[in-house]
Amino acid sequence: LRKAGRERLERQHAQVSRSKLKRKLLDALAEKHSFPAPKNLLESELDNIMKQVAQSGGGKEPTDAEKEEYKGIAERRVRLGLLLSEIGRRNNIQVGEEELRRALAAEASRYPGREREVIEFYQKTPEALVQLRAPLYEDKVIDFILEMAKVTDRTVSAAELIRDEGLPTD
């Protein structure tokens, strides 16, 4: 039981560590590459954000300040998406069919008893398959950039690692 608990904590800490590294990398990319986001992509991303906010906010109308914040988030997402896409394209990074099958199996396993239904949905809905492929592609591009970057590891306490991540510190 202790071994299982330790392994679970190690996986959780590895995920948090990767998340922080990815965030720092994306922050650096955003800082170094500034260009106007295409209007149609910006509007689409802002619309997606507003829909997510509406679903989670109980129908409360966002303030003007919040709308401006969402617009900034949308612009950052679009610019970073285009930048990562271009890096991937220039370096011939692709998501293989086997990787996509594993992701689809993992997604289906989140719905016990309905796995076949989930798989059929993705097979019949190209847009959903694109949504499944996108984070795989992003992770592969991030991994490529990290391979090229000079990254230094440093040891931190568990409490320092998970600070601001919303995870239990006990």
Side-chain angles (χ1 to χ4, degrees):
L1 187 61
R2 284 184 185 186
K3 182 181 177 188
R6 185 179 9 247
E7 289 172 353
R8 184 180 56 80
L9 280 175
E10 287 173 358
R11 279 191 312 272
Q12 200 174 43
H13 289 161
Q15 289 171 340
V16 171
S17 181
R18 171 148 173 101
S19 175
K20 284 188 171 201
L21 179 61
K22 182 177 175 179
R23 190 173 319 129
K24 285 186 178 208
L25 173 66
L26 293 175
D27 288 346
L29 287 172
E31 187 177 306
K32 292 184 192 280
H33 300 280
S34 182
F35 53 90
K39 188 177 179 178
N40 59 337
L41 293 178
L42 181 58
E43 288 172 357
S44 176
E45 185 61 28
L46 184 56
D47 187 49
N48 288 337
I49 291 171
M50 296 304 281
K51 286 177 183 173
Q52 289 173 345
V53 168
Q55 288 175 347
S56 65
K60 189 180 97 176
E61 181 69 25
T63 66
D64 288 343
E66 290 170 329
K67 288 178 184 177
E68 276 303 308
E69 181 181 346
Y70 301 147
K71 185 177 179 184
I73 292 168
E75 185 160 359
R76 176 186 160 98
R77 284 183 184 175
V78 168
R79 284 190 296 113
L80 285 171
L82 291 171
L83 187 59
L84 291 175
S85 179
E86 182 62 14
I87 291 168
R89 186 189 66 76
R90 286 186 181 189
N91 294 284
N92 200 30
I93 296 171
Q94 298 176 7
V95 174
E97 290 304 313
E98 182 58 33
E99 293 167 298
L100 193 55
R101 272 194 287 280
R102 281 194 306 268
L104 182 53
E107 180 68 16
S109 73
R110 293 179 48 209
Y111 303 91
R114 299 178 59 203
E115 293 90 349
R116 180 181 300 254
E117 188 180 327
V118 171
I119 290 171
E120 287 175 2
F121 168 76
Y122 277 97
Q123 289 173 338
K124 293 178 182 177
T125 315
E127 304 83 32
L129 209 51
V130 167
Q131 293 298 318
L132 192 62
R133 185 185 298 263
L136 297 173
Y137 182 77
E138 179 180 290
D139 281 345
K140 286 185 83 166
V141 174
I142 294 289
D143 288 343
F144 172 80
I145 295 169
L146 290 173
E147 285 176 20
M148 307 306 268
K150 181 179 177 187
V151 178
T152 53
D153 290 335
R154 76 179 168 96
T155 303
V156 297
S157 69
E160 184 180 352
L161 176 65
I162 62 176
R163 188 180 308 129
D164 303 325
E165 295 297 323
L167 296 173
T169 57
D170 297 339

